[in-house]
Amino acid sequence: MTVRKNQATLTPEEKRAFVSALQELKRTGVYDRFVTTHNGFIMSDTDSGDRVGHRSPSFLPWHRRFLLEFEEALQKVDASVALPYWDWTVDRTSRASLWAADFLGGTGRARDGQVMDGPFAYATGKWNINVRVDGRAYLRRDLGAGVAQLPTKAEVDSVLAMPVYDMAPWNSSSNGFRNNLEGWRGANLHNRVHVWVGGQMSTGASPNDPVFWMHHAFIDKLWADWQAKHPRSTYLPGAGTQNVVDLNDTMRPWNDVTPADMLDHRKFYAFDTEPAAAPAASQR
Amino acid sequence: MNKITRRQALGTTAGALTVLGLTAAAAGATHAAATPTEPTTPGTVDEVYQGRRIQITAGGGGHHGGHHSPGQPTVRIDGRELHVMRNADGTWISVINHYETFADPKLLARAAVRDLQGAALVPFGGAA
C-alpha cells in the first residue's frame, strides 16, 4: 500500500529516490506529457463552458486521478516512491527544508528568477522546461514575492468547516468547500500557494515545478480531511448538470473514471496521518 | 540624535514630497500603478509598457481550437498572443498569471510583461 508522507518527514534516502524518479520521468519524456495535459485543461476549463480540471466540482477528483497517474509513473521507475505532500501551513517560509539543495532547491535569483541550486537547476542539464508558455527553458521561482504569506492553519480550518461540497453555478463564483479550497473566493488556499511560489508555478504549465505534486497532494489530503469531518456530505452535483461533471459522469481525458470512483482515497493510498479511523496497515 | 537632526533638516513639506516620490517610483518599478488603473474597454489598448508592446483588440473568438468564448478580447505582447480568460465575476486571468485575478485585460497584460522579464511568448498548444 502506498503511503503518502509529509515531505518534512522524509529521510535523505527517500528524498534521493523521489528526485531520481522525477529526473528519470523527465529524461524519458513522460514527465512533460503531464505538463501538456495540465496546461490543456487550464486553457479549456471555462466558467461558462465545459469545465473538468479546474473551477468546477471535479477540480478535486480530477487532480486526485491526475496525481494517481503520475504516482504510478514514478512507481514504474522506483516502486518504493510515493508522492509526498507539502503542508504549507507549517512549512511556510523559504527556509523550510523543502527548498534545500538536497531536495527541490531554493528560490530564483533576482536577475531572471532562475533556480540556481538543487537537482532541478537548469545547469544540471536534467531539468529543461520544454512545455512552456514563454521562451525561457529554466525553472524559475520567486518564493513569497507574488503574495507575502502562505495560508494559515486557521484559514484552512475555516474552509474545512464548510459543510457543503460545492454549489451552483459550479464555477469560480461558487460558494462552498470546493471553491474556497481552490481559492477563487474566500481566504484563497490553493491558488494563493501557486502565486506564492511564483515562476512556472504561477502559470498554466505549473507542473513544470516538482513542488506542484506536493502542493496538490496536500490539497488532496485536505479533501480527505473534509470528508472525515463531514461524513454526511458528499460530492455535488448529483446528475444532469450542463458543462459540469456530475457524480457518475466520466472525466476527460481518461473517460473511464468518475468522481464517484475517486471519493475514497483509501482504495489507492493512505496518508501517514489519516484524519479519522484509519486502516491500521502501514501506520507507524 | 542623528535621526532627529535629519528629520528636522528635511522639514515637513520636503519630507512628505520625498516620501511620495519614492513611493511612486517603487510602485512603477514593480506594479502597474505608474498610470491610473481605470478599467479599459477591450479593443482600445495599444501601448508600450516596460519596453513591450501591448495590444488588446475586441476578439472574434473561435481561434486556437475554438475554446474561447465569442467576444473575448485578443491580447498580444510584441505581436504574440497571450491566452486570457474572463472569470464569472468579471475579473481576468492569463496563462502567465493563471492563479491570480486582475480587474481588466490591460492590468493582466502588464502583469504578464513584468513576469516575462523580456522573454517572448510562445504559441500556445492545443487543448488536451
Side-chain angles (χ1 to χ4, degrees):
Chain A
M1 184 60 154
T2 298
V3 180
R4 293 192 180 170
K5 298 176 183 172
N6 187 321
Q7 61 78 25
T9 70
L10 296 187
T11 65
E13 293 72 28
E14 286 171 328
K15 289 181 185 181
R16 272 198 292 272
F18 181 60
V19 165
S20 297
L22 287 167
Q23 288 177 330
E24 178 62 8
L25 289 189
K26 185 69 166 176
R27 188 186 67 79
T28 56
V30 172
Y31 192 97
D32 286 344
R33 292 210 293 273
F34 284 87
V35 186
T36 299
T37 296
H38 187 268
N39 194 42
F41 276 86
I42 277 281
M43 295 199 301
S44 66
D45 295 324
T46 63
D47 277 337
S48 56
D50 200 28
R51 47 197 184 275
V52 180
H54 306 86
R55 56 179 68 233
S56 61
S58 46
F59 168 70
L60 290 170
W62 189 93
H63 281 83
R64 177 165 284 173
R65 182 65 185 78
F66 190 58
L67 263 63
L68 275 168
E69 190 177 14
F70 185 73
E71 188 170 54
E72 284 163 12
L74 287 171
Q75 290 174 343
K76 279 183 198 161
V77 175
D78 181 342
S80 77
V81 169
L83 283 182
Y85 62 87
W86 169 33
D87 181 349
W88 25 253
T89 70
V90 174
D91 298 303
R92 48 189 297 106
T93 75
S94 58
R95 296 178 300 282
S97 61
L98 173 65
W99 308 111
D102 70 342
F103 203 14
L104 296 192
T107 194
R109 65 181 174 188
R111 177 157 62 83
D112 58 5
Q114 184 172 171
V115 170
M116 299 302 290
D117 67 341
F120 307 102
Y122 185 68
T124 64
K126 294 181 176 176
W127 206 260
N128 287 16
I129 306 300
N130 304 313
V131 181
R132 57 198 195 218
V133 294
D134 61 63
R136 293 168 289 184
Y138 48 85
L139 181 65
R140 292 177 296 115
R141 294 187 189 120
D142 202 355
L143 304 181
V147 59
Q149 298 293 332
L150 288 162
T152 63
K153 179 75 162 58
E155 286 170 325
V156 166
D157 288 344
S158 73
V159 172
L160 290 179
M162 297 176 177
V164 180
Y165 178 77
D166 205 347
M167 298 185 196
W170 320 108
N171 64 18
S172 76
S173 66
S174 290
N175 208 334
F177 169 69
R178 186 276 309 168
N179 196 36
N180 278 272
L181 179 61
E182 190 171 359
W184 298 112
R185 73 181 291 164
N188 187 355
L189 302 183
H190 153 268
N191 281 355
R192 197 199 323 178
V193 176
H194 277 273
V195 175
W196 186 89
V197 175
Q200 280 88 3
M201 266 291 274
S202 298
T203 75
S206 47
N208 273 307
D209 191 327
V211 80
F212 172 92
W213 309 104
M214 295 190 216
H215 172 36
H216 271 278
F218 186 58
I219 293 294
D220 183 81
K221 183 174 188 296
L222 293 179
W223 184 23
D225 290 348
W226 177 86
Q227 288 173 309
K229 204 177 175 64
H230 304 279
R232 291 184 191 170
S233 301
T234 191
Y235 182 92
L236 293 170
T241 317
Q242 193 184 12
N243 292 330
V244 170
V245 181
D246 295 313
L247 178 64
N248 293 302
D249 291 346
T250 57
M251 295 187 285
R252 289 185 290 112
W254 309 286
N255 298 322
D256 62 354
V257 61
T258 67
D261 297 329
M262 289 292 111
L263 296 184
D264 184 6
H265 72 277
R266 292 180 182 89
K267 291 193 288 188
F268 311 106
Y269 50 85
F271 292 107
D272 51 0
T273 51
E274 286 290 338
S282 70
Q283 295 290 310
R284 271 181 248 192
Chain B
M1 191 64 192
N2 236 343
K3 273 185 188 168
I4 293 165
T5 310
R6 275 183 59 208
R7 255 183 228 164
Q8 286 168 336
L10 279 167
T12 315
T13 311
L17 282 173
T18 306
V19 170
L20 277 172
L22 285 173
T23 307
T30 51
H31 297 288
T35 55
T37 55
E38 75 282 357
T40 312
T41 311
T44 61
V45 176
D46 190 344
E47 69 171 12
V48 174
Y49 175 75
Q50 295 192 356
R52 309 292 296 272
R53 187 176 186 188
I54 295 173
Q55 294 165 289
I56 305 177
T57 53
H63 52 301
H64 292 287
H67 55 255
H68 286 258
S69 313
Q72 181 145 296
T74 300
V75 179
R76 287 191 174 81
I77 296 174
D78 290 345
R80 302 280 187 94
E81 185 171 353
L82 174 69
H83 185 273
V84 304
M85 189 184 291
R86 188 174 184 271
N87 297 314
D89 67 357
T91 59
W92 296 82
I93 56 166
S94 79
V95 77
I96 295 286
N97 297 97
H98 183 79
Y99 303 92
E100 187 180 2
T101 60
F102 295 84
D104 73 23
K106 184 169 77 176
L107 297 177
L108 183 70
R110 287 177 169 186
V113 164
R114 293 193 296 276
D115 182 272
L116 285 167
Q117 294 186 288
L121 289 171
V122 298
F124 36 88

